[in-house]
Amino acid sequence: MRIAWQDAGWEGLTARVGRCRLPVWDCTSGLVAGDEGALLVDAGATPAQGGRLRAAAARLLGGGRRVTHLALTHPHFDHVLGAPAFAGAQFHGPAGAGVLLAADTEGLRADAVRHGVAVQDAADAAGALGRLARDTAHAPDAPDAPDAVRRTADPSRPTATAPARPRPPDTRTGARAPGSAPAPAPASPWHPVTDRQALDLGGGVRALLLNVGPGHTAHDLAVLVPGGDGEPDVVFCGDLVEESGEPQAGPDAVPGRWPGALDRLLALGGPEALYVPGHGAVVDAGFVRRQRDQLALRFGVS
Ligand SMILES: [Zn+2]
């Protein structure tokens, strides 16, 4: 498979990994193309950006293929409000982000409008994303669920690569005819990443999703795509790293733990990886190290 990144206006980072910088808010979106599956990293700021990303990814992948997995690095509007355009894909986010997106639809909508997203677009997208996240956030066995609703931890909970566990027969109503197969549980599209989640996209292309936060927010996810055949590893950093300006520390940032998150990023990618910031040009490990030290100074931590 040869992907014509440049022809499509994308930046090719390796043969199978590319990214684009979206207009207006300059948010990065990345695409990792396997032989069988494709992962998009962050979905843009509006339903229109999400729709254009979906179409662009389909053109890049070719052959009627589409995005099968969407990773959201953190719950900020410019990274997530395009996500409803990817209905049918598996969604991955740092643990806790789903609860937040489900519970604070209004906060996400208001933040987007404050930054210039059209009122109706923000309301529609925040509502759709909240409903999508709510299904899993309130499920009894979801790692993403708050303690108040998580009654039991279930180590056999399905993952993105495992088939859904059949639902046990409903013995309360007796509605199911004896001998008939139990109805399968609806496969949830939302997969919280508590520690790490590996995705095998086929053709030797793998991606590792890692919960490296908190830092820029309380919930920060990074994506490592190991290189091969002399190609570099690629690390999608979300907004833990910014190149186009000083890293944005809003009211939901956890400044004291941000440098530690960058230490984990550097340990992940090592000295030779390409580091893709949430905003701005691709950087190297030296840049991330310097930004880590500047943040430690700025926030008064070591
Ligand atoms: Zn952000």
Side-chain angles (χ1 to χ4, degrees):
M1 178 196 295
R2 182 189 168 275
I3 300 176
W5 299 108
Q6 277 75 10
D7 295 352
W10 284 53
E11 181 179 358
L13 303 174
T14 71
R16 298 298 192 105
V17 183
R19 71 100 181 225
C20 66
R21 292 172 67 169
L22 297 164
V24 188
W25 297 276
D26 188 28
C27 177
T28 277
S29 184
L31 183 64
V32 185
D35 282 358
E36 282 125 40
L39 166 70
L40 192 81
V41 182
D42 283 337
T46 65
Q49 285 195 350
R52 284 194 289 272
L53 273 172
R54 183 183 176 107
R59 281 194 300 274
L60 285 162
L61 295 166
R65 298 164 68 231
R66 61 179 180 83
V67 169
T68 55
H69 297 272
L70 174 64
L72 300 174
T73 58
H74 64 288
H76 279 170
F77 83 94
D78 48 336
H79 298 254
V80 303
L81 283 187
F86 294 89
Q90 301 297 306
F91 285 48
H92 307 267
V99 172
L100 188 67
L101 290 169
D104 194 18
T105 298
E106 171 54 24
L108 182 63
R109 185 205 66 80
D111 193 45
V113 170
R114 196 161 46 243
H115 286 88
V117 177
V119 171
Q120 195 60 52
D121 283 351
D124 290 349
L129 190 55
R131 285 190 294 278
L132 189 151
R134 185 173 298 121
D135 287 346
T136 297
H138 288 184
D141 61 352
D144 215 14
D147 290 339
V149 297
R150 187 173 60 229
R151 293 194 294 270
T152 58
D154 182 355
S156 65
R157 183 180 175 277
T159 67
T161 52
R165 182 162 44 89
R167 178 178 285 164
D170 188 344
T171 54
R172 293 168 301 171
T173 63
R176 187 169 63 78
S180 64
S188 168
W190 189 272
H191 303 278
V193 180
T194 303
D195 178 22
R196 57 182 59 204
Q197 164 87 53
L199 296 178
D200 184 350
L201 300 171
V205 179
R206 295 181 301 114
L208 192 58
L209 317 181
L210 291 112
N211 191 331
V212 291
H216 173 65
T217 72
H219 316 288
D220 289 304
L221 184 81
V223 178
L224 167 70
V225 187
D229 295 331
E231 293 190 311
D233 294 354
V234 177
V235 182
F236 289 97
C237 307
D239 285 359
L240 286 166
V241 178
E242 293 197 39
E243 185 277 338
S244 52
E246 192 169 2
Q248 297 296 305
D252 57 345
V254 186
R257 299 181 64 182
W258 197 331
L262 292 188
D263 286 338
R264 286 189 284 282
L265 268 188
L266 286 162
L268 189 63
E272 306 298 333
L274 301 177
Y275 292 84
V276 186
H279 303 269
V282 175
V283 300
D284 62 12
F287 180 96
V288 177
R289 172 66 59 193
R290 289 190 294 279
Q291 190 153 88
R292 179 245 180 259
D293 291 344
Q294 289 161 2
L295 286 169
L297 198 62
R298 174 177 161 190
F299 299 137
V301 296
S302 59

